[in-house]
Amino acid sequence: DRRSNDLDKLRKTQEDVAGLEEELKEKAVVVAEKAEAADIFAEQVGREKAQVQISSEKAAEEAALCTKIATDVAIQQTSCEADLAQAIPLVQEAEAALDVLDKKDFQELKGFAKPPGGVDLVCAAAMHLQAGIDPNIAVDKRGLVTDESWKSAQKMMGNPEKFLVNLKAFKGEID
């Protein structure tokens, strides 16, 4: 009886072991599938990490470039502000000088066959400033004055009153 009982226990243990082995084989398949999926996922993560690294390096380069540009712009802005601070009093002086002129002055000036020394240069400068604004000033395709002669300056002053208005309104054109 005892042997029979031991034999039954041994058979029962053998059946349990066989069942566990079967269960182990099934779980081994599941583990292998999950391990393979994990390997694929790890490989994908590795590729994405490499892409992120490349993107991060490019972003760092771009950030460095942007920082340099911002520094250059700040320097240029400071320079422009300094230039503007110097130019404002000159513009105010020019506006004040225009206030003492009237159309009779320009009528007299355009009547000269040959202008006094330096006046032709001032008129040429006025032509360049008014180029593209005053239709009486001939310009090329790029908007540059084509003729700086005294005759062209006289044409620019053809209507002295309008010319004076244009000169006074010029600051508004460039602001």
Side-chain angles (χ1 to χ4, degrees):
D1 225 15
R2 205 170 121 184
R3 285 186 190 168
S4 164
N5 214 7
D6 287 342
L7 200 53
D8 285 341
K9 284 183 182 179
L10 196 56
R11 284 186 192 131
K12 171 81 172 123
T13 303
Q14 191 177 17
E15 287 173 8
D16 287 346
V17 168
L20 287 174
E21 284 178 344
E22 191 60 37
E23 190 178 321
L24 183 62
K25 286 179 186 176
E26 290 172 7
K27 288 190 177 188
V29 169
V30 170
V31 167
E33 288 172 353
K34 289 190 177 189
E36 185 179 338
D39 288 343
I40 291 170
F41 183 70
E43 186 179 317
Q44 181 181 358
V45 167
R47 282 193 307 269
E48 288 177 3
K49 184 178 177 184
Q51 289 175 344
V52 166
Q53 181 66 29
I54 290 169
S55 295
S56 293
E57 289 170 3
K58 286 181 181 177
E61 289 173 11
E62 197 66 29
L65 181 61
C66 289
T67 300
K68 182 184 179 335
I69 290 171
T71 302
D72 292 347
V73 166
I75 291 168
Q76 186 66 31
Q77 179 181 5
T78 302
S79 174
C80 288
E81 288 171 351
D83 291 347
L84 181 61
Q86 290 178 342
I88 288 174
L90 297 175
V91 169
Q92 291 169 341
E93 279 183 43
E95 287 175 325
L98 284 174
D99 288 339
V100 299
L101 296 174
D102 63 22
K103 70 178 186 177
K104 292 177 190 171
D105 296 322
F106 292 111
Q107 285 173 333
E108 179 183 345
L109 182 60
K110 76 174 187 171
F112 290 137
K114 183 176 181 198
V119 171
D120 55 338
L121 297 175
V122 172
C123 288
M127 282 191 277
H128 284 283
L129 291 174
Q130 297 283 320
I133 298 170
D134 186 340
N136 291 324
I137 300 170
V139 294
D140 61 16
K141 292 177 186 176
R142 297 181 306 166
L144 301 175
V145 176
T146 57
D147 182 8
E148 296 179 359
S149 69
W150 175 243
K151 188 172 182 173
S152 291
Q154 289 172 311
K155 182 179 177 185
M156 171 181 68
M157 295 181 282
N159 180 341
E161 188 171 349
K162 183 177 180 231
F163 178 63
L164 184 57
V165 168
N166 286 348
L167 288 176
K168 288 183 178 184
F170 182 70
K171 182 179 181 300
E173 291 287 333
I174 58 172
D175 283 344

